[in-house]
Amino acid sequence: MSALLSVRDLGMRFGGLLAVDGVSFDVNSGQVVSIIGPNGAGKTTVFNCISGFYRPTSGQVSLLGKTISGLPGHKVARHGLVRTFQNVRLFRTMTVVENLLVAQHSRVDTNLLTGMLKTRAYRAKEAAAMERAGFWLDQVGLREVANREAGNLAYGQQRRLEIARCMVTGPRLVMLDEPAAGLNPNETRELDELILLLRAEHDVSVLLIEHDMKLVMEISDHIVVIDQGRPLAEGTAAEIRNNPDVIKAYLGES
Amino acid sequence: MPGQLKGALFSAAVMLVLAVPILGIQITTEGSSVSLVGELHYAFIAAGLVFVFKLLERPLSTLLGMTHAANLLPSADRMATYRPAILTVLIVLAFIWPFTASRGAVDVATLALIYVMLGLGLNIVVGFAGLLDLGYVAFYAVGAYSYALLTEYFGLSFWISLPIGAGLAALFGFVLGFPVLRLRGDYLAIVTLGFGEIIRLLLNNWDELTGGPDGIGNIPKPTLFGLEFTRTAKADGNIPFHEFFGLEYSGTYRVIFLYLLALLLVLFTLFVINRLIRMPVGRAWEALREDEIASRSLGLNPTNIKLSAFTLGASFGGMAGCFFAARQGFINPESFTFIESAIVLAIVVLGGMGSQIGVILAALALTVLPELARQFEEYRMLVFGLVMVLMMIWRPQGLLPSKRPRMELPT
Ligand SMILES: Nc1ncnc2c1ncn2[C@@H]1O[C@H](COP(=O)(O)OP(=O)(O)O)[C@@H](O)[C@H]1O
Ligand SMILES: [Mg+2]
């Protein structure tokens, strides 16, 4: 059986800078896989290559055996691979629920004529989209603020909304770029639970970039360590914790 | 204090714009000159009162211990319940008005309605989708020439040409938009600017088809279910409108008919756009304007979505063009210069991007005021530029900025 996501020998060059060099890993169905590494290691660049925002200069990304590297971002998303951003990117002037409706654009009826005539099928799809939005707002605890502008939410709420916005698209894999950054310990724990819930109940795999080691070690099935664009180590939480190279990279030469 | 002065000046200006047409101004046409009959000074008195009141509002209310004037207005919720009623009244008034007004006034109002259509159409592109289109006049021209040529060569009627003209303009929008919408904002503006000029030059130089600078004349007026508004019927076996209803012939019927037709087209435009912005495509336009990267990450195809805005906007431009050709009876490339694009863009910016009421008011103001101030014609562009600069300083969001209606999650 082929892995859900398979990254082979990924390379990304920006002019003279080789930001990612020879990174390979797999994400299997139902797994939480984390990418860790110091700032500037190239983690976000790996995300950008996988999600179609950059066209990798070498290597291959495939989803369930189908090559997706080189596809534009919106096509990758339609294959069931969605992401969040290191700096939250919500539609700030739109309401919370509208953020979730926009995310379902490829699921609703976008035919102009049926929409203009408000046909029964069109209304049914709009209602279903609204219901799914409501469901995910409950899951992330944002129903009370559903009709508020997204830009006015507290930071932690914005982070959760961004995850909900990924989930309403009905993805196979969500990629979260430092979702715990800027959260307080309480919110981080809730995030931890949310990620586990996604995996347990919604049949979705998670690829995570995170600096919070406690969170990473607790929830990851598999961890990939990147340093200066190159893969440094790979394994379970216990293996990574005891890997001398990783300790050296994180604690400096000692 | 300067803030209050600004607010007061602004309110007075708005009052002036609104009061001039409302407070009994009649435009009469004598030969080629348009003059005003009526009491313009009432409008100025009204504006003056508003100015003084706004200036003294705060000190007065604190002095008298009154609640702030804003609190005396019905709450937003109650305004919302009155909205349909207010709208109905306004629409009914708009339908009755031409029968009470002078022929010249109705004619000017018809022109204003064309600009309302253009403004609403460009508002889709600029206001909702956030794409700067400086060549919108090209689609207007395509619509106008579509009707003129279709009727000249194929004898098609206005009613058949109207959807075809709108469709052709949409097609032009699609063909231009497809390669161009991948460009970033400023490049898009330049390419569309160029496109507008190319269309005009093409019309100017393709003599055999378009008549070149001489244009096309004798374009038939629209008919009412086949009834013509001429003194004697042009088509064989047809009877003109006035004979059918046993009335004396009068050119006024035609003017009123054209006005009503323009009004219907505007209402149609409003209806379509109001549906669009509540539909997934309307949400996608706003999302894309807000954050293109996030939109792409969710599976929205930016090119297609922008293309839909561009094409739909173009089709309304084409529709307005068709009507324009029918109303004028004569068109030439002079009617489709860059300045027209600029005026329509100014209407959208002044009105408040994305705001339909704002666009309507701005279109009325920008077409009616110059007609009233014919004697200042030389200064028209100067004033126009000044108004734009002042707006950018004081109210960059436009006269009546508004948001797309929100989808609500019932609680
Ligand atoms: N678009 C880009 N152009 C040039 N350099 C880039 C670009 N994106 C990332 N980089 C560089 O690639 C390296 C890795 O960055 P990034 O992937 O953001 O690191 P991380 O997410 O691990 O902190 C950095 O040196 C960064 O400056
Ligand atoms: Mg990063």
Side-chain angles (χ1 to χ4, degrees), chain B residues 378-398:
Chain B
E378 307 93 283
Y379 304 108
R380 187 171 155 189
M381 291 324 282
L382 189 71
V383 172
F384 185 69
L386 196 66
V387 169
M388 290 304 278
V389 170
L390 290 180
M391 282 294 289
M392 288 305 107
I393 296 171
W394 279 347
R395 253 183 113 77
Q397 71 275 42

Side-chain angles (χ1 to χ4, degrees), chain A residues 157-175:
Chain A
Q157 293 178 315
Q158 296 196 6
R159 282 273 180 206
R160 272 181 285 150
L161 176 58
E162 214 188 8
I163 295 175
R165 196 176 63 176
C166 285
M167 290 310 299
V168 287
T169 65
R172 279 199 263 253
L173 176 72
V174 287
M175 316 194 347

Side-chain angles (χ1 to χ4, degrees), chain B residues 334-358:
Chain B
E334 281 305 295
S335 307
F336 307 105
T337 53
F338 169 68
I339 211 70
E340 293 293 312
S341 290
I343 288 175
V344 180
L345 186 63
I347 287 172
V348 174
V349 173
L350 280 180
M353 294 204 256
S355 154
Q356 304 194 66
I357 305 272

Side-chain angles (χ1 to χ4, degrees), chain A residues 53 73-74 77-78 82-83 85 89-95 97-98 101-103 105-106 108-112 115-116 118 122 126 130 134 137 143 146-147 149 165 169, chain B residues 271-273 275-276 278-284 286-302 305 308 312 403-411:
Chain A
F53 282 82
H74 65 271
R78 289 184 182 201
V82 293
R83 63 175 294 184
F85 296 86
R89 297 194 89 118
L90 293 173
F91 305 118
R92 300 177 60 85
T93 63
M94 301 178 84
T95 64
V97 69
E98 280 184 321
L101 293 177
V102 167
H105 192 75
S106 26
V108 293
D109 185 356
T110 50
N111 184 314
L112 293 182
M116 202 69 71
K118 283 200 211 178
Y122 165 83
E126 284 289 284
M130 192 54 106
L137 288 177
R143 188 181 266 275
N147 298 323
E149 267 185 30
R165 196 176 63 176
T169 65
Chain B
F271 168 77
V272 171
I273 293 176
R275 285 293 318 138
L276 284 174
R278 289 173 171 80
M279 278 158 54
V281 72
R283 301 195 290 258
E286 183 169 359
L288 214 57
R289 201 181 62 207
E290 276 268 308
D291 193 331
E292 182 164 337
I293 290 180
S295 305
R296 262 196 292 158
S297 81
L298 297 165
L300 278 69
N301 181 342
I305 291 164
S308 67
L312 283 164
K403 292 199 164 147
R404 205 173 49 75
R406 299 292 173 212
M407 300 283 285
E408 299 244 318
L409 184 75
T411 36

Side-chain angles (χ1 to χ4, degrees), chain A residues 14 17 19 38-45 54 86:
Chain A
F14 297 110
L17 175 79
N39 273 324
K43 305 180 297 292
T44 299
T45 306
Y54 293 159
Q86 191 165 345

Side-chain angles (χ1 to χ4, degrees), chain A residues 133-154:
Chain A
F135 172 80
W136 278 103
L137 288 177
D138 283 335
Q139 294 291 306
V140 298
L142 292 176
R143 188 181 266 275
E144 311 86 83
V145 294
N147 298 323
R148 243 195 269 155
E149 267 185 30
N152 295 341
L153 296 189

Side-chain angles (χ1 to χ4, degrees), chain A residues 15-196:
Chain A
L17 175 79
L18 197 52
V20 175
D21 181 14
V23 170
S24 303
F25 61 88
D26 282 344
V27 180
N28 290 317
S29 231
Q31 271 191 326
V32 175
V33 174
S34 295
I35 303 179
I36 62 171
N39 273 324
K43 305 180 297 292
T44 299
T45 306
V46 169
F47 260 34
N48 284 336
C49 288
I50 297 174
S51 59
F53 282 82
Y54 293 159
R55 182 185 284 266
T57 40
S58 63
Q60 206 187 26
V61 181
S62 44
L63 192 72
L64 289 168
K66 259 189 296 181
T67 304
I68 57 165
S69 40
L71 288 183
H74 65 271
K75 293 219 172 118
V76 173
R78 289 184 182 201
H79 277 96
L81 214 163
V82 293
R83 63 175 294 184
T84 65
F85 296 86
Q86 191 165 345
N87 310 302
V88 183
R89 297 194 89 118
L90 293 173
F91 305 118
R92 300 177 60 85
T93 63
M94 301 178 84
T95 64
V96 169
V97 69
E98 280 184 321
N99 267 267
L100 301 189
L101 293 177
V102 167
Q104 300 179 62
H105 192 75
S106 26
R107 300 183 136 199
V108 293
D109 185 356
T110 50
N111 184 314
L112 293 182
L113 204 61
T114 52
M116 202 69 71
L117 301 174
K118 283 200 211 178
T119 60
R120 187 189 294 268
Y122 165 83
R123 275 178 293 146
K125 285 201 169 173
E126 284 289 284
M130 192 54 106
E131 193 161 321
R132 212 173 293 126
F135 172 80
W136 278 103
L137 288 177
D138 283 335
Q139 294 291 306
V140 298
L142 292 176
R143 188 181 266 275
E144 311 86 83
V145 294
N147 298 323
R148 243 195 269 155
E149 267 185 30
N152 295 341
L153 296 189
Y155 185 74
Q157 293 178 315
Q158 296 196 6
R159 282 273 180 206
R160 272 181 285 150
L161 176 58
E162 214 188 8
I163 295 175
R165 196 176 63 176
C166 285
M167 290 310 299
V168 287
T169 65
R172 279 199 263 253
L173 176 72
V174 287
M175 316 194 347
L176 309 176
D177 196 345
E178 302 197 16
L183 299 189
N184 64 34
N186 245 339
E187 291 171 322
T188 306
R189 214 186 46 248
E190 283 171 18
L191 178 73
D192 184 335
E193 286 160 12
L194 177 62
I195 294 176
L196 292 176

